[in-house]
Amino acid sequence: MKMKHSGTMKAVLADDLTKSMEFVRVYAADITNKKETSRLVKQLGEIFPLTRLPHMKRVRCLKENEEKHLQIILCCVDQEEDLSSSPTLNEIFQKAPGFDQTGLGNLFSTRVARNQPKTRAQFEEAQSHWPTSFHEDLELTKLLNGTYFTKTEQERINLHMQMAVELADQGKQSGEVPIGVVIVNSDSSEVVASCYDLRNTASNPLYHAVMLCVDLVARSQGGGAWEIQDTPGFWWRKPHEASNRLADLSSDTSLGSQPDNLQNDVGQPTLVRDVTESQSGQNNLKRKFNELDDSSYLCTNLDLYVTQEPCSMCAMALVHSRIHHVFYGVTHPDGALGSRYKIHCQPGLNHHFQVFRGVLEEKCRNLYSEIT
Amino acid sequence: MTKLLFLLPFQAKAALLQGEVPVGCLLVYDGQIIGKGKNGVNFTKNATRHAEMLAIEEALDWCKNRNVAYKEVFARTDLYVNVEPCIMCAGALRISGLRRVVYGCSNERFGGCGSILDVASDQRTTDSQPVLQCVPGIFAETSVQLLKEFYRGQNPNAPNPKVKKAHDIQDIPLPSLEGVQMKDPT
Ligand SMILES: [Zn+2]
Ligand SMILES: [Zn+2]
């Protein structure tokens, strides 16, 4: 099957990373004598330290007609101050009578960034007003420009979402809310659990697909609370079973062409393929599995794929479960991972995680739009 | 009714004795307990097994066994819990269509009735569930004591307790909750 490159996947980031900059007013002045610059910087730093604007550069250099021209920030404009009053240099330095104003020219007020920019876009916006310091977070830049995942990783993401879409469809056919979930090991891409929503058929309002899948993960670790009857499409890695089920990109799994391909007897998703191995390979796998098992605690190092943005209950369940990444298809107006709330980056909570929306968006949207 | 509520601290205590975060709760419908729960996260290796979730499920079974629609029962059912429900549980209570939550101390770490987010009474666009009424302050002192006891075990998953309106049921007769005003979203 030919995987289409998903161009719509976007990181769902905290508001302070996506909003535009806030600005405050400062008084600044032209420097008429460059030789005075370092003295002015030093003395202004003493009488008017920019404690609330530590990110600001005190001096900027403008180029006009091949000529360099320096300007310097004097102090912040008080909030209450009437801007139309336009004070003089003498008025500004009233409190510092000994200050030597040599080298200062025309006084003006201008807007500068209130906070240090966090993203390149914010930096450029801030910079267009007055130079500011900026420490680029390369991971964040990748998240913003869509290069966080390699092409291979994106294809794998699409494959896992494809599984979730098929599970959602399977649920839909049995009269369920069409939401499918797949939980995958972040490193090995091994599928740990998969299921779809059961809130309607089980008449249990808590049986949201995400909650069910989190419980299946607990089952895979020898725990679990819910007695879900054998339901086609429901799958979890059996505890203490050596298995190596990897999404195999090179194989033609004909996803989507066989609607019943998730409905085999044991309910194992066909996306994951058993790997034939020698005796020694089996031992290696067992060792690997044990290592995995020792480190498996809740949903740490697991990624979740869901066709629709989770609600508050499900999103917070993923915080409690220490999920690693969440990928979803379409947004929901009451969703809690980007739409109504951003629980994954909510200040005050003890666990934060990356969220990506718009994975196989069209396919996911189709699940919800064809309701008759 | 008041007598039944004396069970509440025991539920929380029972969780504590089992090494779980000491949270316990009761679902009360028409003067009878139709569901009870205590934290069971460690036992099930499922971090979502909060007392409230267990109680809702018990109450769903109660309805099923009596062949009554849970939606009708839950619309007249109140939850009593020693700590403010977390965001997840507040969402679950809302989804289940419960009428009211009466809680002890606030949950500064995870609270979904205003401490972190106000999931209990936000205006939803797509479901018609009424807002969940929130009444803080019952058994607040006892709850804080239990949680402090638990803290000595240094569990990072425990809620951070804070007394909002401290009065213990022994001192003050349980007010009639009919007509109790919804907590102001702060
Ligand atoms: Zn949900
Ligand atoms: Zn909870």
Side-chain angles (χ1 to χ4, degrees):
Chain A
M1 180 189 163
K2 234 179 157 184
M3 292 305 300
K4 252 193 227 157
H5 202 270
S6 159
T8 53
M9 184 167 86
K10 275 202 168 68
V12 182
L13 299 167
D15 292 338
D16 63 340
L17 300 176
T18 52
K19 68 178 182 189
S20 49
M21 297 299 289
E22 286 175 31
F23 293 90
V24 288
R25 282 212 166 262
V26 294
Y27 288 119
D30 291 327
I31 294 178
T32 52
N33 182 355
K34 278 182 199 167
K35 286 175 185 159
E36 296 292 331
T37 308
S38 59
R39 179 192 62 82
L40 286 167
V41 168
K42 188 168 174 280
Q43 289 190 2
L44 282 168
E46 284 161 11
I47 61 166
F48 296 132
L50 297 175
T51 35
R52 278 183 297 161
L53 302 169
H55 52 283
M56 292 310 303
K57 311 262 189 203
R58 193 108 208 183
V59 176
R60 76 168 167 185
C61 180
L62 297 176
K63 266 185 196 168
E64 274 172 46
N65 308 325
E66 297 296 309
E67 233 176 277
K68 281 185 183 172
H69 176 54
L70 297 179
Q71 294 182 323
I72 188 164
I73 295 175
L74 304 179
C75 60
C76 292
V77 176
D78 282 339
Q79 300 248 296
E80 318 87 72
E81 216 164 305
D82 184 7
L83 274 174
S84 59
S85 67
S86 49
T88 63
L89 277 176
N90 283 338
E91 281 167 340
I92 285 191
F93 293 110
Q94 220 169 20
K95 286 178 212 154
F99 184 77
D100 179 4
Q101 294 178 26
T102 311
L104 288 178
N106 178 43
L107 173 73
F108 61 98
S109 86
T110 186
R111 296 193 321 147
V112 302
R114 182 191 294 275
N115 300 303
Q116 187 173 40
K118 290 180 173 170
T119 67
R120 185 150 281 280
Q122 289 177 341
F123 173 60
E124 279 160 13
E125 192 191 355
Q127 201 77 351
S128 70
H129 289 80
W130 195 282
T132 165
S133 65
F134 172 54
H135 306 292
E136 188 164 19
D137 177 340
L138 290 175
E139 189 176 281
L140 182 59
T141 301
K142 286 181 183 173
L143 283 167
L144 282 157
N145 67 19
T147 56
Y148 185 72
F149 294 108
T150 64
K151 198 165 178 286
T152 315
E153 284 169 332
Q154 289 205 15
E155 284 170 358
R156 215 178 271 270
I157 288 163
N158 288 351
L159 270 173
H160 289 129
M161 187 59 85
Q162 179 62 35
M163 271 183 77
V165 169
E166 291 178 25
L167 285 159
D169 204 50
Q170 203 172 340
K172 192 177 185 176
Q173 283 164 30
S174 60
E176 270 305 341
V177 182
I179 298 175
V181 174
V182 178
I183 294 183
V184 173
N185 184 295
S186 306
D187 296 327
S188 68
S189 287
E190 181 194 14
V191 175
V192 177
S194 69
C195 68
Y196 50 83
D197 222 88
L198 287 181
R199 74 186 81 167
N200 287 349
T201 43
S203 35
N204 184 327
L206 306 185
Y207 278 4
H208 287 200
V210 169
M211 302 303 287
L212 292 166
C213 216
V214 164
D215 196 56
L216 293 179
V217 169
R219 255 201 227 195
S220 80
Q221 297 163 353
W226 282 331
E227 287 299 322
I228 309 294
Q229 299 307 311
D230 274 345
T231 311
F234 276 56
W235 189 85
W236 68 98
R237 191 185 62 187
K238 305 298 175 285
H240 312 301
E241 242 177 45
S243 64
N244 185 23
R245 303 168 197 284
L246 301 175
D248 192 338
L249 289 171
S250 60
S251 73
D252 181 4
T253 49
S254 306
L255 277 166
S257 58
Q258 292 165 275
D260 59 343
N261 65 356
L262 291 165
Q263 290 175 327
N264 52 35
D265 288 346
V266 277
Q268 289 184 356
T270 41
L271 218 183
V272 292
R273 229 169 44 125
D274 284 311
V275 177
T276 49
E277 70 264 315
S278 63
Q279 194 61 39
S280 64
Q282 195 116 34
N283 290 338
N284 280 338
L285 280 175
K286 267 189 182 140
R287 207 172 304 132
K288 196 179 164 196
F289 179 80
N290 287 337
E291 281 165 16
L292 269 174
D293 221 26
D294 288 341
S295 63
S296 68
Y297 164 69
L298 304 176
C299 293
T300 45
N301 207 34
L302 299 182
D303 296 344
L304 179 135
Y305 296 80
V306 56
T307 48
Q308 189 183 59
E309 182 181 0
C311 70
S312 302
M313 172 179 72
C314 292
M316 192 59 194
L318 295 172
V319 173
H320 288 315
S321 302
R322 307 284 201 279
I323 199 83
H324 190 207
H325 291 120
V326 171
F327 301 86
Y328 65 84
V330 291
T331 56
H332 187 281
D334 290 329
L337 297 181
S339 296
R340 175 168 294 276
Y341 300 117
K342 290 183 174 176
I343 284 181
H344 61 292
C345 50
Q346 171 69 39
L349 293 180
N350 62 347
H351 175 69
H352 293 159
F353 50 90
Q354 285 306 344
V355 171
F356 301 87
R357 65 173 164 86
V359 183
L360 298 189
E361 195 168 20
E362 276 315 299
K363 282 186 180 180
C364 291
R365 199 182 307 283
N366 286 340
L367 287 167
Y368 307 101
S369 59
E370 333 164 331
I371 292 163
T372 47
Chain B
M1 177 75 173
T2 311
K3 265 185 205 158
L4 292 178
L5 292 178
F6 277 110
L7 290 169
L8 188 55
F10 291 107
Q11 285 288 115
K13 186 82 184 175
L16 180 68
L17 292 173
Q18 286 166 8
E20 304 273 2
V21 179
V23 180
C25 68
L26 302 170
L27 279 168
V28 179
Y29 166 70
D30 202 14
Q32 53 184 320
I33 292 170
I34 63 167
K36 54 188 185 318
K38 57 179 191 286
N39 214 306
V41 166
N42 297 340
F43 176 68
T44 57
K45 301 187 182 190
N46 180 338
T48 72
R49 300 309 286 167
H50 288 189
E52 298 92 324
M53 307 296 275
L54 276 73
I56 292 171
E57 280 162 28
E58 212 176 275
L60 285 169
D61 284 341
W62 187 92
C63 296
K64 210 171 269 176
N65 292 339
R66 280 157 189 79
N67 210 19
V68 289
Y70 83 81
K71 282 182 183 168
E72 284 164 31
V73 174
F74 281 14
R76 292 167 56 203
T77 300
D78 300 329
L79 173 83
Y80 294 83
V81 56
N82 58 320
V83 184
E84 175 190 356
C86 75
I87 292 165
M88 174 187 74
C89 292
L93 299 170
R94 191 83 188 273
I95 288 166
S96 308
L98 289 155
R99 178 173 60 179
R100 183 184 290 138
V101 53
V102 182
Y103 64 85
C105 53
S106 71
N107 182 341
E108 300 294 321
R109 212 167 272 185
F110 305 117
C113 302
S115 288
I116 299 282
L117 292 175
D118 199 354
V119 170
S121 55
D122 57 14
Q123 293 299 321
R124 302 275 167 94
T125 50
T126 51
D127 66 33
S128 51
Q129 299 294 359
V131 300
L132 182 72
Q133 297 176 45
C134 300
V135 184
I138 190 172
F139 289 120
E141 297 290 1
T142 321
S143 302
V144 170
Q145 282 312 311
L146 279 168
L147 286 162
K148 276 185 181 160
E149 204 173 314
F150 187 75
Y151 265 131
R152 283 173 222 138
Q154 296 281 313
N155 184 313
N157 298 323
N160 190 10
K162 220 181 227 177
V163 183
K164 257 188 191 152
K165 296 174 196 166
H167 56 72
D168 229 280
I169 193 153
Q170 286 94 333
D171 306 325
I172 298 172
L174 189 68
S176 161
L177 291 170
E178 294 303 327
V180 166
Q181 292 300 302
M182 207 183 77
K183 186 175 75 91
D184 286 341
T186 43

